[in-house]
Amino acid sequence: MSIDADIAEPVGGRLGPGAVRTTCPYCGVGCGVRAERGAAGTVRVAGDPEHPANRGRLCAKGSALGETTGLAGRLLHPEIDGRRVGWNEALATVARRFAETQAEHGPDAVAFYVSGQLLTEDYYVANKLIKGFLGTANIDTNSRLCMASSVAGHRRAFGSDTVPGLYADLEGADLVVIVGSNLAWAHPVLYQRLAASKSARPAQRVIVVDPRRTATCEAADLHLALAPGTDVALFAGLLTHLDRAGRCDAGYVDRHTEGLEAALAAARAAAPDAAAAARLCSLPHHAVAAFYEDFARTERVVTIFSQGVNQSSSGTDKVNAIINCHLFTGRIGRAGMGPFSVTGQPNAMGGREVGALANQLAAHMSFEPDAVDRVARFWRAPRVATRPGLKAVDLFRAIEAGSVKALWIMATNPAVSLPDTNQVRRALAACPFVAVSDCMRETDTTAFAHVRLPALAWGEKDGAVTNSERVISRQRAFLPAPGAARPDWWIVSEVARRLGAGAAFAHRGPADIFREHAALSAFENDGTRDFDIGALADLSDADYARLAPTRWPCASRGGDGERFFAAGGFYTPDRRARFVPTPPAPPIHAPTADYPLRLNTGRVRDQWHTMTRTGLVPRLVEHRPGTTLEIHPSDAERHGLGPAAWARIESRWGGMIAEVETSSDVNPGDVFVPMHWNDQFAGNGCVNRLVNPETDAVSGQPELKHVPVRVAAWQPAWRAIILSRRRLMPRAEWWRSAPCDDHWRSELAGQSPPASGWSEIAALVAREGKTAALTEAGHADHRLAALDGAGRLAALVFFHAGDAALPIDAEWLGERFAAAALAPAECRALLTGRAPAPRPVRGPILCSCFAVGRDAILAAIGSGAVSLDAVGAATRAGTNCGSCRPEIGALIAAARQRSAA
Ligand code: SF4
């Protein structure tokens, strides 16, 4: 069964003809989605078969979009200091505090921190307000954490932030090199396109360069598990190998580039051959040699890269080391070849286009005097910023130091997502004025807000996004605005009006803003700037409403191609690309005797960023219900984790507690922890509290993937499980909380005396209703049930004084929340914690579309289903979105290995 066969329709049936065409709000693949409201407020979604990014596919997160549109937890009214207020009071307060701060402390005392979740129109007005009318470039976006090194690398090599290629190049390539990207989990539909291509054309090769063995390696012919931070050495060695192998495209290099000799000299000095590169990267020589030879002899090569390259103190050099190899071979801008950066966020590219990075001005222009003059004339702006502002990490340092005193955060959660979040939280607590625009009321960041501004969420918003292959797509509203929530562009424009800039922000809607954005891209642009969408500047409102996915460039003068740079035409003054010398540099903080392990962070398959939406969907949470420490078995033993269930992980910057998962997918010396969990879903579970705030000197992107840490067993004195109809926010040294159908499940553990742990939990649960307890005399274990006024189950708690797992069937108990009133005898039966008759064990969920557990898949494999299709036929797993197919493939491969042994 091919993936293509079944994925275009939602689980549960076809959508009607009136379904709205919109775009997924998660990753940078930018999949088209069809969505419609069903009966009783339900929302159904399906992949858009006409969208060029996905042609009907959706991953697990995209397939579950309809389950994220509820109003639970939404911020629906403006608030000042937690008090509900009207829009006028909230907007006037933001405008007044920004104006007063600038009047007293100067233009640079204020800042915006924005997000790749914003639509292009929101981004455009925020950038215009602060850079054109507040006179400071102190606006940075959380895209700084995601792809700033790619932006900087592109600009150094090409003179512009240009992604030269297309997704179709992955299918057209004979060799795809995936560097620092778990594409299968972070960009699942793109991975599925590649997997389908490789399956149809087995001669296509895939090489994965990543310190970890990830799900992406299921498609790999070769996996290079290099030492973290050594990518520059690997690609320096490749450049010297290509030179020695006579693979230089001399015609391309002579006509279209500058600086080869210096780059080659640096590469030769760093890694004169494959053996040297292998030593520097801690890789087997034969594997590096095989990679180099394959790259050298293959004309159609794409090198695709993501956060493993970007989130590094040498991120920009890594990008340029990759680009150097493609320029050297002339393999750029033609079908099936080129360097390819994929962005993490749905509109990271849109943010780059409007210029919402602190070191960009607007429309791919920087702060050169002629650009400042041009933008000032276009905006008719009185005081355009003339120099770059503070990048994200520096911005929060400046806030803590007191030089930035008013901050407006839009659609992002820096108290979780920035490195050294303890410092970020200190900065937010100390900042005299913090406004936060968000669609959720309770996040780790909104806790610091003086003013909360309710923004629209996906399904309610209207505007445009740009994906990683430069395709602009419309996000269209199909749900009404709830409560008093408003579009981000409206909120910014209303504040601008109250700051006296109303004439420049008199847009009637997103179409007006988009036309202005398109016109700026074309303003005095006669081919000297890559970003030109002038052909869209005259769209009527109706044209904008029905705008189909459109790839830029699309200049009004016409003549644009799909790819960039096949025939040169770079955006440097002499129109030649630049080779960049990239001497390898180790990560800034090396492991020490005190902190001997290297912490890597990243995504899990079914969660998105700080979980504000995906963390509320039971079938997404079930794939990974909590944060874990992935550690090699030898390191686990060496650091005393042995049979320990938990570890305390510490760096110089902070600490956390995580469940231990031993795995030989990580190399000895490396550990991995997911980035998503935070104070809303876990206690002591935020990994960025540990992450060092070092940044790449060129791009300002933090080194989120390399932190020296130490680990030690963490042994609790007690454990508990609470099942509750309402969401409770338990407190303990370690806890995690996850939604299930009809109830929430919270697990807790603490080192406090069991008696005090129990009394806190009992008090929390007793608030849920009338309780029935089961406590054996002289025993420190407790069981408690609470029934609401209607006699329905409100909460159940099981408490054990010790560190052993609680022997209860939480799945069966959870199903009892669907029941009507419980009789006392039934209630007592529940307190035994076990189903009356044995039930089949499902195991952790692998297929979230059809809730198929690992054990069921293993049983199918054991019964002879030894292909993906056979497992799909037996269990349905992997037959809808396909996101779980790499994990199923790994189980099949492991079973084959076992039977061959
Ligand atoms: Fe959304 Fe998944 Fe497509 Fe990314 S790959 S845009 S998360 S459906």
Side-chain angles (χ1 to χ4, degrees), residues 24 26-27 29-31 58-59 61-62 188-189:
C24 176
Y26 296 129
C27 83
V29 180
C31 296
L58 288 179
C59 74
K61 294 186 286 283
V189 165

Side-chain angles (χ1 to χ4, degrees), residues 454-475:
L456 297 183
W458 182 80
E460 303 152 6
K461 302 206 275 194
D462 200 26
V465 293
T466 307
N467 72 6
S468 297
E469 61 164 353
R470 292 177 274 109
V471 170
I472 297 169
S473 300
R474 291 276 280 106
Q475 239 186 53

Side-chain angles (χ1 to χ4, degrees), residues 165-195:
L166 319 175
Y167 294 159
D169 292 328
L170 267 70
E171 288 140 344
D174 294 320
L175 170 64
V176 176
V177 184
I178 304 174
V179 190
S181 169
N182 184 5
L183 208 66
W185 283 15
H187 299 90
V189 165
L190 206 47
Y191 173 84
Q192 288 167 23
R193 283 181 60 165
L194 176 61

Side-chain angles (χ1 to χ4, degrees), residues 135-216:
T136 177
N138 279 348
I139 175 172
D140 212 28
T141 156
N142 61 7
S143 297
R144 177 74 57 195
L145 314 178
C146 159
M147 32 75 328
S149 296
S150 285
V151 174
H154 290 158
R155 288 170 58 80
R156 287 203 306 192
F158 308 148
S160 58
D161 175 21
T162 312
V163 176
L166 319 175
Y167 294 159
D169 292 328
L170 267 70
E171 288 140 344
D174 294 320
L175 170 64
V176 176
V177 184
I178 304 174
V179 190
S181 169
N182 184 5
L183 208 66
W185 283 15
H187 299 90
V189 165
L190 206 47
Y191 173 84
Q192 288 167 23
R193 283 181 60 165
L194 176 61
S197 158
K198 190 164 162 38
S199 159
R201 191 160 61 91
Q204 187 179 35
R205 276 108 51 222
V206 173
I207 295 176
V208 172
V209 179
D210 195 312
R212 268 194 317 148
R213 180 176 173 82
T214 65
T216 303

